[in-house]
Amino acid sequence: MTVIRKLAALRKQIAIWRSSGETIALLPTMGALHEGHLRLARLATKKCDRAVVSIFVNPAQFAPHEDLARYPRDLKADLALLDDIGIDTVWAPSLAQVYPENFATTIVPAGAALEMETQFRPQFFTGVATICTKLFTQVTPDIAIFGEKDYQQLQVIRQTVRDLDLPLKIIGAPTIRERGGLAMSSRNVYLNAEQRALAPMLYAQIKTIAGKIAAGGRIGPAAANAAKALTKAGFKVDYVEVRDAATLGAVKTRGDRPLRVLAAAWLGKTRLIDNCAVK
Ligand code: AMP
């Protein structure tokens, strides 16, 4: 496995693969890899001839008061995990490679990016859409893989790729969970034992909402009851929403289009997000 840190070297590698007609899959990550990331990485190796994993903790998607400084980083451990599963190349650019002096262009998504995460992290999707567009133009992959764990992010990226005619396919992959249902996340290491025990309740509640709606229950009360239960248990809820699964637009009734339940809530200083389909 090769670790590339300079854009010129990356482009050289990509050109060699392209000249022999090989296809390329990209998995963008911020490192601190867990089994959720590794499942996506294995999928990347299956889908294309070459699999590139990018590791870059992107400052542009963190607000000044957020956890950029303490975000877990362990490049050595990440590389060992990726080597084990047959990743060809890790693209681990420096900050200066990604944001050179006088960097001044951003992608500002609306549509699927409006509301939910954006209400609480206004800078987030601009940072995400900008870094992902850069990664797509750097790596020029045939496909890029994103986890449904960050469902709004997945839909925003799909929208960005569609709106800007970027020549790649976005693949969404299912959320990988701990045994109790908690979605795996690099941020789970922040949780203390008590919070860790409570955390699976977030997924349990969104599943309950999905179940009630699937059984004909009303959307508003189902979401409100879940938010109330989470608050009572000690979560600080940012949002619990039921949305159109494709556009993430508001919905009042079940209708016949696919719906998604999405939620974000704090346990102490740790923010958890999760989502599930209404089946
Ligand atoms: P991150 O490094 O947290 O930005 O995540 C990199 C990619 O891995 C994103 O597409 C995430 O949605 C995805 N991902 C993170 N955690 C999980 C999980 N538990 N299951 C599936 N995908 C995940």
Side-chain angles (χ1 to χ4, degrees):
M1 188 176 73
T2 321
V3 181
I4 300 184
R5 296 183 163 282
K6 292 267 162 58
L7 187 54
L10 177 71
R11 293 219 151 116
K12 216 168 172 177
Q13 176 65 267
I14 303 279
I16 293 168
W17 291 339
R18 288 297 184 202
S19 69
S20 49
E22 290 178 309
T23 55
I24 302 168
L26 170 67
L27 169 62
T29 81
M30 298 206 299
L33 302 180
H34 51 66
E35 183 53 32
H37 297 116
L38 296 182
R39 273 310 164 93
L40 270 50
R42 284 189 204 101
L43 183 63
T45 64
K46 291 205 184 85
K47 291 260 176 200
C48 287
D49 302 317
R50 299 287 178 174
V52 177
V53 175
S54 65
I55 299 183
F56 180 68
V57 182
N58 177 34
Q61 67 194 64
F62 290 78
H65 63 275
E66 290 182 348
D67 59 340
L68 175 63
R70 69 177 185 135
Y71 195 84
R73 292 164 171 87
D74 191 345
L75 185 62
K76 211 169 138 197
D78 290 345
L79 296 181
L81 290 169
L82 295 173
D83 203 14
D84 273 354
I85 59 174
I87 293 298
D88 294 289
T89 296
V90 173
W91 169 224
S94 66
L95 203 55
Q97 282 285 298
V98 179
Y99 299 116
E101 217 178 314
N102 299 327
F103 178 88
T105 303
T106 51
I107 307 273
V108 185
L114 298 173
E115 305 185 330
M116 295 190 286
E117 285 303 292
T118 299
Q119 283 167 291
F120 297 90
R121 308 183 71 195
Q123 75 301 323
F124 181 66
F125 286 124
T126 297
V128 167
T130 303
I131 188 66
C132 288
T133 303
K134 279 176 72 82
L135 289 168
F136 298 157
T137 54
Q138 291 166 343
V139 179
T140 65
D142 297 278
I143 67 164
I145 299 178
F146 289 84
E148 287 182 351
K149 150 84 174 35
D150 302 280
Y151 190 81
Q152 191 177 7
Q153 169 173 281
L154 171 62
Q155 295 311 99
V156 169
I157 295 298
R158 288 190 199 284
Q159 175 186 282
T160 305
V161 164
R162 199 173 55 236
D163 290 352
L164 301 182
D165 304 315
L166 301 178
L168 75 157
K169 190 168 161 207
I170 299 301
I171 310 265
T175 303
I176 306 303
R177 300 178 179 282
E178 309 280 356
R179 210 168 280 151
L182 174 65
M184 289 186 182
S185 165
S186 305
R187 288 186 167 101
N188 289 352
V189 297
Y190 299 156
L191 298 169
N192 65 28
E194 198 185 322
Q195 293 163 340
R196 186 70 190 65
L198 199 53
M201 188 181 168
L202 182 62
Y203 182 50
Q205 284 296 326
I206 60 174
K207 267 200 317 193
T208 300
I209 299 172
K212 282 184 183 167
I213 297 169
R218 283 162 59 213
I219 289 176
N225 287 341
K228 217 181 284 169
L230 288 164
T231 305
K232 193 162 170 221
F235 288 80
K236 189 175 98 40
V237 175
D238 276 355
Y239 61 84
V240 176
E241 292 280 340
V242 180
R243 296 287 176 123
D244 180 298
T247 63
L248 299 184
V251 288
K252 288 215 170 73
T253 54
R254 175 75 179 93
D256 52 8
R257 59 213 172 297
L259 300 181
R260 199 90 190 176
V261 185
L262 304 100
W266 294 82
L267 274 177
K269 289 198 165 98
T270 306
R271 190 168 184 274
L272 304 174
I273 64 170
D274 207 342
N275 67 86
C276 69
V278 176
K279 293 207 174 111

